[in-house]
Amino acid sequence: MTAPTYRPRRTTLAVPGSSQKMIDKAKTLPADEIFLDLEDAVAAPAKVEARQRIVDALNAPGWSGQLRSVRVNDWTTEWTYADVVEVVT
């Protein structure tokens, strides 16, 4: 069994999933981790579109080796289930 590899995260950059411009910029920045936000940074009417934008961004080339994570909406909201299903698949 291989020992786990840990990567220190000195810098984490939060990026709203509703902004393609900010997602594209994040790909070029030297942050250790980029977290793509579907929760607080995205207005309710933009959540469905932001979810697809994040899925597309995660599958697109051009990342600079940063760790990538996604913050989904609160478990008690109507958006959470689709956030998890669509991002994971």
Side-chain angles (χ1 to χ4, degrees), residues 10-33:
R10 297 171 299 104
T11 56
T12 299
L13 177 63
V15 179
S18 55
S19 174
Q20 187 64 51
K21 177 181 174 184
M22 293 179 82
I23 292 170
D24 291 342
K25 179 70 174 177
K27 288 180 174 186
T28 69
L29 297 175
D32 296 318
E33 177 183 24

Side-chain angles (χ1 to χ4, degrees), residues 11-79:
T11 56
T12 299
L13 177 63
V15 179
S18 55
S19 174
Q20 187 64 51
K21 177 181 174 184
M22 293 179 82
I23 292 170
D24 291 342
K25 179 70 174 177
K27 288 180 174 186
T28 69
L29 297 175
D32 296 318
E33 177 183 24
I34 305 295
F35 100 68
L36 302 167
D37 195 3
L38 283 169
E39 191 179 30
D40 296 339
V42 180
K47 289 191 183 283
V48 173
E49 183 181 332
R51 185 184 307 125
Q52 187 57 52
R53 189 181 312 278
I54 285 176
V55 169
D56 293 343
L58 290 171
N59 288 307
W63 292 96
S64 301
Q66 307 98 327
L67 292 171
R68 285 158 280 172
S69 61
V70 177
R71 180 167 74 165
V72 299
N73 285 284
D74 184 308
W75 297 112
T76 63
T77 68
E78 63 192 83
W79 303 290

